[in-house]
Amino acid sequence: MRALVIRRLFYMVPTMFAISLVAFLIIQLPPGNYLTTYIAELSARGQSVDQTQIRALEQRYGLDDPMFVQYLRWIGGIVLHGDFGQSFQYQRDVSDLIWDRVGISVALALATIVVSWGLAIPIGIYSAVRQHSLGDYVFTFLGFIGLATPNFMLALLFVWIAFAYFGESVGGIVSPEFADSAWNLGKILDVVSNLWAPVLIIGTAGTAVLIRVLRANLLDELRKPYVVTARAKGLPEWRVILKYPVRMALSPFISTIGWVLPTIVGGEVMVSIVLSLETTGPLLLQALRNQDMYLAGAFILVLGVLTLVGTLISDLLLAWWDPRIRHAQAEEA
């Protein structure tokens, strides 16, 4: 296990630099830059910018430098000083902008995971054990609806029903009285009280997928010879099911933990826009639309690094959870 961790950490270093290069190239691919977008917005409002001012802005932001110089300056600031640069649009440090929204994104992602797993595991076990029962058909039908319905459509429907029939507004995750206040116990409790709507909406599709995966895996495990042998020995049915088949069927849950960390930062962009949630997703979308290169590049870089870290964590947890994988890794080492 130790050799696996060291080897994976060694491979992660060049991979991170490759991700940083790809991230920088991606934000450079669209024609123009932040200044062209800014000038187009001024022209749309009937204003004009002279060439002297444009050149001054290019020198101020370093946009007149070659691409490799811009990349070295950007990655050098990150590695040596932890400086992700300054946002052109917001005129603030990129790290400050990201961290301002990470707290809500983390709370939303973790709450969604807890709810999704809390619903999917018992329902998936029931559907597998009671295959072809009425309950199995009901949960299968609801699962297909959850898979087929886009989350943003659920969000729109939810907002309309809440306002039309209950006179309630479910937009936003922080109440107006706490919008400008620092994080304290009152604000945390307010966020928790407003989390239920986006958690239910975002968790719908994820819960449906997990139910189908757990049901299929558990059905496959229940037909294996070791389960037949355990039943022949007279073990209680609940022990036969929960001791090993469920554990092996939950392996895909553990392996998908690697996707959780990028999800925390990326978030559900469309749902966040519909519900006016101040998460990291809409900020990333706005940065891409305005070609705010340092803000967009920082998001893409962080998503890539979190994917690497999350994959490593999920592999280690999977090796701890599933003895078959642990044994295979020990043989490889």
Side-chain angles (χ1 to χ4, degrees):
M1 182 67 72
R2 182 181 301 175
L4 171 66
V5 174
I6 295 174
R7 185 168 64 250
R8 292 292 298 275
L9 291 176
F10 179 77
Y11 292 153
M12 284 175 64
V13 175
T15 306
M16 287 182 182
F17 277 100
I19 290 174
S20 69
L21 181 60
V22 172
F24 193 82
L25 291 176
I26 288 175
I27 61 179
Q28 294 285 350
L29 285 178
N33 50 41
Y34 172 75
L35 286 184
T36 57
T37 304
Y38 177 67
I39 293 171
E41 291 179 355
L42 292 179
S43 301
R45 294 197 296 262
Q47 303 178 18
S48 61
V49 182
D50 58 29
Q51 294 299 318
T52 303
Q53 186 177 0
I54 293 175
R55 286 193 295 270
L57 290 173
E58 287 179 344
Q59 294 177 357
R60 174 184 175 185
Y61 295 128
L63 298 176
D64 56 341
D65 294 331
M67 185 182 300
F68 74 93
V69 175
Q70 297 183 41
Y71 169 74
L72 291 177
R73 181 170 57 243
W74 178 62
I75 196 64
I78 295 174
V79 174
L80 299 178
H81 309 289
D83 181 14
F84 287 88
Q86 188 180 45
S87 169
F88 300 151
Q89 180 182 3
Y90 297 96
Q91 293 297 307
R92 292 179 57 193
D93 289 340
V94 169
S95 56
D96 293 338
L97 286 170
I98 294 176
W99 283 111
D100 283 348
R101 303 201 179 196
V102 161
I104 294 177
S105 297
V106 169
L108 181 60
L110 294 180
T112 303
I113 293 168
V114 171
V115 172
S116 297
W117 285 26
L119 292 175
I121 292 176
I123 293 175
I125 294 174
Y126 174 85
S127 295
V129 174
R130 305 294 183 185
Q131 187 183 16
H132 302 312
S133 66
L134 177 61
D136 180 30
Y137 288 131
V138 170
F139 288 129
T140 299
F141 176 73
L142 294 177
F144 284 139
I145 291 179
L147 287 171
T149 307
N151 284 344
F152 74 89
M153 184 177 296
L154 285 178
L156 289 171
L157 183 63
F158 197 86
V159 170
W160 176 74
I161 292 175
F163 183 77
Y165 293 96
F166 301 99
E168 296 288 339
S169 175
V170 295
I173 204 169
V174 179
S175 300
E177 58 268 22
F178 292 100
D180 299 324
S181 64
W183 283 98
N184 51 47
L185 181 59
K187 188 171 183 176
I188 293 174
L189 294 177
D190 178 70
V191 170
V192 172
S193 65
N194 294 327
L195 270 179
W196 63 273
V199 165
L200 290 178
I201 294 170
I202 296 174
T204 300
T207 302
V209 171
L210 292 175
I211 290 174
R212 303 305 301 170
V213 170
L214 179 57
R215 180 183 183 274
N217 288 348
L218 187 54
L219 284 173
D220 183 58
E221 291 292 329
L222 290 175
R223 297 189 180 100
K224 290 185 176 179
Y226 74 90
V227 177
V228 178
T229 303
R231 284 173 174 158
K233 289 184 176 181
L235 292 177
E237 185 67 15
W238 64 269
R239 190 175 181 183
V240 171
I241 295 173
L242 296 180
K243 187 169 180 61
Y244 290 112
V246 170
R247 181 176 181 176
M248 297 301 101
L250 286 176
S251 294
F253 284 62
I254 307 299
S255 64
T256 56
I257 291 178
W259 305 342
V260 172
L261 293 178
T263 302
I264 289 176
V265 175
E268 289 286 346
V269 179
M270 295 303 295
V271 174
S272 298
I273 293 174
V274 171
L275 297 180
S276 302
L277 305 179
E278 294 184 355
T279 58
T280 53
L283 187 64
L284 171 59
L285 178 62
Q286 193 67 21
L288 293 173
R289 292 181 60 186
N290 293 322
Q291 293 185 276
D292 196 341
M293 52 183 284
Y294 291 133
L295 181 57
F299 266 116
I300 297 173
L301 177 61
V302 169
L303 287 174
V305 172
L306 288 179
T307 301
L308 287 178
V309 175
T311 303
L312 175 61
I313 293 174
S314 63
D315 287 347
L316 296 177
L317 289 176
L318 194 60
W320 166 76
W321 181 263
D322 194 333
R324 298 172 300 181
I325 297 177
R326 183 166 62 249
H327 180 69
Q329 292 176 346
E331 290 183 347
E332 292 178 2

